[in-house]
Amino acid sequence: MKRTLITGITGQDGSYLAELLLDKGYKVYGLKRRTSTENYENIKHIRNDIEFISGDLADLSSLIQAVKLSKPDEVYNLGAQSFVADSWSQPLYTAEVTGLGALNMLEAVRQIKQDARFYQASSSEMFGKVIETPQTETTPFYPRSPYGVAKVYGHWITVNYRESFDIFACSGILFNHESPRRGIQFVTRKVTDAVARIKLGLQTELRLGNLDAKRDWGFAGDYVKAMWLMLQQGRSNDYVVATGKTHTVRELVEIAFTHVGLNWEDYVIQDPAFMRPAEVDLLLGDPQKAKKELGWEPKVSFEELIKMMVDHDMQKYGQNQ
Ligand code: NAP
Ligand code: GDD
């Protein structure tokens, strides 16, 4: 039985990855930080199948202990302060958890179990003010947020530990991926949740920032398969994981409102409070390398994804009525 340690197991990706690895027969250990109130919503259906280890990415001693306890064959470092907008109000915390947290996890692996395979959750946010389109594994980085800068550090320290210590370490450069388990602050879920509430008479308007931003959005359930595939290869490498299609926030809004028979222009208000100090205008990934070497392809289209999320939120509020 293979053993895995997942950081960020309570998050969107952690929950889908844990499901995937449990299905494959792995013994799954999840690093969970201490919180005053419980936060198992995304993993409540598999909670009893996971062994939780208390720890924090900012605390190396807890990570060393977690590796000692779990003796993992594979480590997936998904934990992060992952909300770009908040990285301007908490830049030091973001650097510590999202950036240095990757180094802490790598150090724990190097010191305790150097033969463990390591996955780092890198991000298309590293491309920021894009130098070329579409973005590939060789596109230079130009991060536009403290979060993006922290992820660039996480990416390069992963590459460096691979080259310095021969650790099997992969950096997955994942473009935006969403699901009904997406946090409510991120734009897709903010929109689908609001659409359901407006349709059911629980809310009257939706305040958004930049409607012109373009993102390459895919389904999280598809993307965690790419993470696993990276760690099954003959040699460690870095991969872009994306759909190869891009859409504006405006298109997202239109699809979501139209799905429940509403006209988005009657409800959406642009609010400067949701504009960012520096924006990433366009992301469009080229997933050719992942397709060729991993045999990975996305299955869920953008339209299917948004409808799936709206349907989920309609059901959630419908049931609560
Ligand atoms: P998410 O839902 O925000 O989950 C983040 C996870 O990190 C949560 O489990 C959170 O725990 C945990 N965490 C936060 N601070 C921590 C700390 N100090 N110590 C230990 N754990 C901590 O994010 P996601 O969407 O699943 O993304 C997973 C990873 O992929 C993140 O690193 C993200 O930056 C990266 N990424 C995401 C996307 C995307 O589009 N989703 C794209 C590229 C890269 P709590 O539940 O306690 O908050
Ligand atoms: N959150 C949010 N809220 N975003 C808005 C809003 C709003 O009200 N209005 C417009 N947007 C725009 C943002 O300015 C951005 O251009 C786009 O919608 C997407 O924002 P988010 O959903 O917050 O995601 P993100 O692209 O900033 O970051 C996500 O993707 C990265 C990968 O590219 C996060 O998951 C990161 O952790 C991830 O690395």
Side-chain angles (χ1 to χ4, degrees):
M1 187 190 251
K2 271 196 181 177
R3 303 160 70 89
T4 184
L5 173 63
I6 302 174
T7 74
I9 194 149
T10 53
Q12 170 187 261
D13 292 6
S15 68
Y16 283 108
L17 181 66
E19 269 174 23
L20 179 77
L21 298 183
L22 286 168
D23 273 358
K24 291 186 182 296
Y26 280 65
K27 169 84 181 157
V28 175
Y29 292 84
L31 186 88
K32 191 167 177 328
R33 62 176 171 163
R34 193 213 155 256
T35 48
S36 295
T37 48
E38 288 201 335
N39 174 25
Y40 290 100
E41 182 59 24
N42 283 336
I43 45 172
K44 55 183 184 298
H45 56 299
I46 47 174
R47 186 176 164 174
N48 293 335
D49 303 321
I50 297 166
E51 189 110 9
F52 293 99
I53 302 176
S54 180
D56 195 296
L57 283 166
D59 184 339
L60 174 61
S61 65
S62 72
L63 304 182
I64 288 175
Q65 191 59 18
V67 176
K68 277 185 183 162
L69 281 169
S70 57
K71 301 182 193 65
D73 300 294
E74 296 171 10
V75 175
Y76 294 86
N77 185 38
L78 310 185
Q81 189 303 89
S82 72
F83 188 47
V84 172
D86 278 0
S87 73
W88 278 281
S89 55
Q90 299 172 43
L92 297 170
Y93 176 74
T94 303
E96 187 168 5
V97 174
T98 305
L100 282 180
L103 173 59
N104 284 335
M105 200 60 247
L106 279 160
E107 247 320 276
V109 166
R110 185 184 74 81
Q111 290 183 28
I112 308 301
K113 198 160 185 309
Q114 202 164 331
D115 65 343
R117 294 187 167 204
F118 181 86
Y119 173 85
Q120 168 61 14
S122 292
S123 165
S124 52
E125 190 69 15
M126 301 189 301
F127 297 123
K129 191 170 178 167
V130 296
I131 306 287
E132 63 180 7
T133 298
Q135 295 86 50
T136 72
E137 292 77 6
T138 56
T139 301
F141 300 138
Y142 189 154
R144 291 274 278 173
S145 62
Y147 168 86
V149 174
K151 282 290 181 188
V152 170
Y153 179 82
H155 169 82
W156 282 118
I157 200 67
T158 302
V159 173
N160 181 260
Y161 267 51
R162 176 168 74 217
E163 294 175 356
S164 304
F165 305 115
D166 205 22
I167 290 175
F168 190 107
C170 296
S171 173
I173 307 173
L174 270 54
F175 282 62
N176 298 50
H177 46 279
E178 320 291 315
S179 75
R181 298 181 198 167
R182 187 59 144 151
I184 199 81
Q185 291 179 303
F186 300 91
V187 74
T188 52
R189 192 72 199 289
K190 181 175 172 181
V191 168
T192 64
D193 181 82
V195 162
R197 289 175 59 83
I198 290 170
K199 181 70 181 174
L200 295 167
L202 302 168
Q203 186 172 325
T204 54
E205 63 180 32
L206 168 60
R207 291 183 172 268
L208 293 173
N210 180 10
L211 301 182
D212 297 318
K214 290 179 148 184
R215 289 290 181 276
D216 180 331
W217 276 292
F219 172 52
D222 287 341
Y223 284 39
V224 297
K225 290 177 190 148
M227 298 177 187
W228 177 77
L229 283 166
M230 285 179 215
L231 296 199
Q232 314 313 310
Q233 302 307 303
R235 67 184 184 101
S236 48
N237 214 326
D238 308 323
Y239 296 90
V240 158
V241 178
T243 68
K245 297 194 177 80
T246 192
H247 300 272
T248 59
V249 173
R250 188 177 283 100
E251 285 172 72
L252 149 70
V253 167
E254 192 170 356
I255 292 170
F257 276 91
T258 305
H259 187 48
V260 296
L262 297 177
N263 178 8
W264 70 273
E265 283 161 309
D266 295 336
Y267 302 97
V268 172
I269 297 169
Q270 267 200 292
D271 186 338
F274 296 106
M275 298 296 225
R276 296 178 178 180
E279 178 63 289
V280 171
D281 295 322
L282 161 71
L283 290 175
L284 172 60
D286 177 355
Q288 285 313 309
K289 182 176 171 187
K291 185 176 178 187
K292 192 162 162 255
E293 295 185 14
L294 306 178
W296 180 86
E297 275 186 286
K299 299 274 187 286
V300 179
S301 73
F302 176 61
E303 200 156 340
E304 286 168 342
L305 170 66
I306 299 308
K307 288 179 180 171
M308 175 208 301
M309 293 173 69
V310 172
D311 289 344
H312 172 273
D313 288 330
M314 284 293 288
Q315 201 186 8
K316 181 182 71 182
Y317 289 115
Q319 277 172 357
N320 290 343
Q321 286 242 306

